[in-house]
Amino acid sequence: MPAERSLSERVAAGEARAVARLISGLEDGEPRAVAALRSLHRATGKAHIVGITGPPGSGKSTLTDKLIRHLRGTGARVGVIAVDPSSPFSGGAILGDRLRMQDHATDPGVFIRSLASRGKLGGLSRATAAAARVLDAAGYDWVIIETVGVGQSEVDIVRIADTVVLVSVPGLGDDIQVIKAGIMEIGDIFVVNKADREGADRVVREIKGMLETAAALSMSQPAALLSQGGHHGASALTGTGAFGSTAMALDETGHPILPPIIKTVAATGEGVAELAAAIAAHRSNLATSGGLEARRLEGAVTEMRGLIAYRLLDELEGPKGRELEARLARAVVDKEYDAYEAADILFAALTQGGRA
Amino acid sequence: MERKIRVLVAKPGLDGHDRGAKVIARALRDAGMEVIYTGLRQTPEQIVTAAVQEDADVVAMSILSGAHNHLFPRVMELLAEKGVDDVLVVGGGVIPEDDYDFLKSKGIAAIFGPGTPTGSTIEFIRNNLKRK
Ligand code: B12
Ligand SMILES: Nc1nc2c(ncn2[C@@H]2O[C@H](COP(=O)(O)OP(=O)(O)O)[C@@H](O)[C@H]2O)c(=O)[nH]1
Ligand SMILES: [Mg+2]
């Protein structure tokens, strides 16, 4: 009988069951899984992580399916993390993204994993980043993360990606509003899917208009001012926001180079080759411009913040937290403390005894 | 934190009867489980690969086409080939009771026919998980 290999060794060897089990362990925050990921950490960073986000039903899964086919055609191995929201009522979820990727169901060069957001903090899933890292360590050349993008918190998930693809479609009246609401800045590539429907060109024009406005704005202001503007908490730290690194690039005439806007019909595969080319171009651009490192610094910040937020939440919802919380609530109602003081006490109690 | 139960709901066979599978998927979600729904016309190979990648605790298959005596055992065979021995496999749909014993002998833990309240499926799953 061969000596038993560790979980991380089995993941490094690309064993599907080990990969799957490690991802589950990380979702559940198992110490054994965290340790296994730690020993794999040095082996990660090779995969290019593509985040695909956009409103529900915009065709993200269908697009992912077609991208997988395209990338497989180049001989690359492809991993997919598809995140769907958990039900706020039952905590359960129906994860249906895989349904659209069935053509690759038995291809050994493709690994598809569905995750429920388990989102107590908006759409921020506990283990998305870690799951992507596991696929990276298991030797997948590309990792595609699909998330439902309907607001700022979802956007955070996708920040861990190297290339962010924002999908919109014609006919969703408030879709453009969503983009306006602040997620536009993170798009490296804009896709207008369902271009077989009426109104695709109008959506393209609207996106273009917004990108031009944003670029003009960023040209007229020092970068530091911009990053104080709100969305890019991390950009002040790393010096480049996601949008900044793309939009601030100038062409030979001194005009900003806007992120590409690509029309696709995911259902038929139309435009997918162009999308794949744009992703590849962004990837090589990141590699030559040094943008990749800035990206990954930003991703690390996002991931750490998520881990901290979840750790606090776990403490808060553990027996100790609940008990203290109940006592403090009583104290607030009885006018012994105000809510601020109570929060201070609770926070201090939850954070003491940490590793740092 | 309690571990979430992950269930792969799959519909093997070539027919298009997916209502039962969808009813079950929703019921399990409402019971707090994470359901991976893979849709119609799954081959046993697709089901088993998905069960592995999704790290499912349970594979729940719905069949109304009459092909259960072929497809269910095939799924069990492929699971065994991949060394997957800790997944609970259950079935449902239009399956004659005369076939239950045969299917159970092949490793299908339970079969739920038309009219079974979803509550009993949920309870069965909770009580019979192979992985703790
Ligand atoms: C509705 C229906 C259809 C609809 C399906 C719509 C759809 N999207 O699902 C339509 C009209 C399309 C249809 C077509 C056909 N049908 Co039809 N159809 C039915 C019917 C009347 C009801 C099935 C149904 O939806 N029930 C409601 C759901 C909720 O119940 P259920 O599926 O049984 O699920 C429950 C349980 O079984 C259980 N369950 C089911 N799956 C699972 C899985 C797990 C894991 C668990 C735990 C529990 C569980 O829980 C559910 C809730 O209690 C049945 C007869 C019957 N009374 O069952 C025939 C029936 C299934 N159909 C039949 C046939 C033959 C056909 C056709 C081939 C007819 C034809 N000659 O054209 C076509 C096939 C078309 C195709 N593409 O596949 C036969 C199958 C015969 C067989 N097994 O040998 C049946 C049994 C009718 C009969 N008595 O002949 N059909
Ligand atoms: N008309 C049209 N429908 C599409 C296109 N792409 C996807 N769809 C359909 O849109 C629906 C939602 O697609 P899905 O990929 O699940 O969207 P997601 O929720 O963003 O992942 C499905 O019915 C797809 O078949 C497209 O380019 N054109
Ligand atoms: Mg999807």
Side-chain angles (χ1 to χ4, degrees):
Chain A
M1 214 166 106
E4 200 172 316
R5 290 173 310 143
S6 70
L7 186 60
S8 53
E9 284 168 335
R10 290 170 55 214
V11 168
E15 239 179 79
R17 284 195 78 202
V19 170
R21 191 85 12 134
L22 178 53
I23 293 174
S24 304
L26 291 165
E27 275 198 287
D28 296 334
E30 283 172 16
R32 183 178 99 104
V34 173
L37 184 62
R38 184 163 306 144
S39 59
L40 289 166
H41 185 64
R42 280 174 189 282
T44 63
K46 297 196 267 304
H48 192 77
I49 302 179
V50 179
I52 300 192
T53 194
S58 55
K60 300 178 295 298
S61 298
T62 315
L63 208 53
T64 301
D65 175 62
K66 296 302 192 306
L67 264 181
I68 296 171
R69 174 167 314 153
H70 191 94
L71 294 169
R72 286 297 288 149
T74 69
R77 300 176 74 219
V78 185
V80 176
I81 305 290
V83 188
D84 270 331
S86 298
S87 155
F89 306 106
S90 68
I94 293 183
L95 311 172
D97 296 319
R98 199 183 180 95
L99 182 76
R100 313 251 177 242
M101 307 176 195
Q102 284 303 334
D103 282 0
H104 316 287
T106 57
D107 177 347
V110 177
F111 190 108
I112 302 166
R113 178 58 179 261
S114 317
L115 296 182
S117 63
R118 299 188 185 178
K120 294 191 170 153
L121 302 167
L124 197 67
S125 147
R126 208 177 266 269
T128 313
R133 198 105 32 68
V134 172
L135 293 179
D136 182 349
Y140 292 92
D141 305 297
W142 294 85
V143 177
I144 302 176
I145 302 177
E146 176 191 338
T147 70
V148 179
V150 288
Q152 195 61 46
S153 53
E154 284 78 7
V155 159
D156 280 339
I157 305 170
V158 116
R159 278 248 176 97
I160 61 171
D162 300 320
T163 300
V164 176
V165 178
L166 269 188
V167 182
S168 39
V169 282
L172 274 185
D174 56 353
D175 176 30
I176 288 293
Q177 291 306 120
V178 166
I179 292 182
K180 273 183 191 153
I183 71 172
M184 190 176 85
E185 289 87 337
I186 64 152
D188 299 300
I189 297 169
F190 290 77
V191 164
V192 178
N193 189 39
K194 306 200 183 182
D196 52 327
R197 295 201 180 158
E198 217 183 286
D201 287 319
R202 194 171 50 85
V203 179
V204 169
R205 278 197 305 276
E206 284 180 41
I207 294 173
K208 188 155 181 281
M210 276 183 268
L211 290 172
E212 281 167 355
T213 312
L217 204 67
S218 72
M219 297 265 294
S220 66
Q221 289 177 24
L225 260 182
L226 244 197
S227 54
Q228 283 171 7
H231 308 299
H232 284 282
S235 52
L237 184 83
T238 59
T240 52
F243 180 71
S245 58
T246 334
M248 296 295 282
L250 302 181
D251 66 14
E252 57 281 7
T253 65
H255 290 84
I257 299 171
L258 295 181
I261 308 171
I262 298 164
K263 283 196 289 184
T264 59
V265 183
T268 64
E270 212 178 301
V272 170
E274 288 86 335
L275 173 58
I279 294 171
H282 185 254
R283 180 182 192 170
S284 61
N285 188 34
L286 280 179
T288 51
S289 69
L292 187 62
E293 192 179 73
R295 256 324 164 76
R296 290 191 170 173
L297 283 169
E298 198 176 349
V301 169
T302 301
E303 190 179 0
M304 286 187 297
R305 287 185 183 183
L307 291 172
I308 288 171
Y310 271 114
R311 214 154 105 191
L312 274 177
L313 204 67
D314 285 344
E315 293 292 330
L316 201 54
E317 298 195 334
K320 188 179 140 205
R322 290 261 193 225
E323 195 256 342
L324 185 57
E325 185 181 60
R327 267 197 290 139
L328 287 165
R330 167 59 50 207
V332 171
V333 171
D334 290 346
K335 311 291 180 212
E336 234 176 285
Y337 297 125
D338 70 19
Y340 287 84
E341 287 173 288
D344 283 346
I345 295 169
L346 192 52
F347 184 80
L350 295 182
T351 50
Q352 59 163 250
R355 268 203 334 189
Chain B
M1 195 173 61
E2 206 182 313
R3 216 170 64 77
K4 287 275 177 207
I5 300 173
R6 288 174 65 86
V7 186
L8 181 76
V9 171
K11 186 53 204 72
L14 300 175
D15 61 302
H17 296 96
D18 60 359
R19 282 190 201 162
K22 285 179 170 163
V23 167
I24 291 300
R26 273 194 292 267
L28 299 181
R29 175 200 60 194
D30 292 343
M33 300 180 196
E34 291 182 352
V35 178
I36 301 102
Y37 181 65
T38 53
L40 289 167
R41 300 190 185 87
Q42 298 290 293
T43 64
E45 285 75 11
Q46 287 175 319
I47 293 172
V48 169
T49 312
V52 168
Q53 295 183 352
E54 299 290 354
D55 198 23
D57 302 286
V58 184
V59 172
M61 293 182 284
S62 179
I63 285 208
L64 289 83
S65 68
H68 46 270
N69 283 342
H70 166 64
L71 293 169
F72 282 0
R74 180 74 188 130
V75 167
M76 297 312 296
E77 243 171 66
L78 289 170
L79 284 172
E81 260 173 42
K82 297 214 177 186
V84 181
D85 55 6
D86 54 0
V87 172
L88 173 69
V89 183
V90 298
V94 178
I95 297 171
E97 280 185 34
D98 288 351
D99 293 338
Y100 284 18
D101 283 343
F102 169 73
L103 294 174
K104 285 182 182 167
S105 78
K106 293 292 175 184
I108 309 296
I111 314 233
F112 301 91
T116 338
T118 50
S120 43
T121 304
I122 291 162
E123 201 180 300
F124 183 86
I125 288 178
R126 288 212 176 108
N127 294 332
N128 290 278
L129 290 174
K130 293 195 179 177
R131 235 167 96 198
K132 294 301 167 201

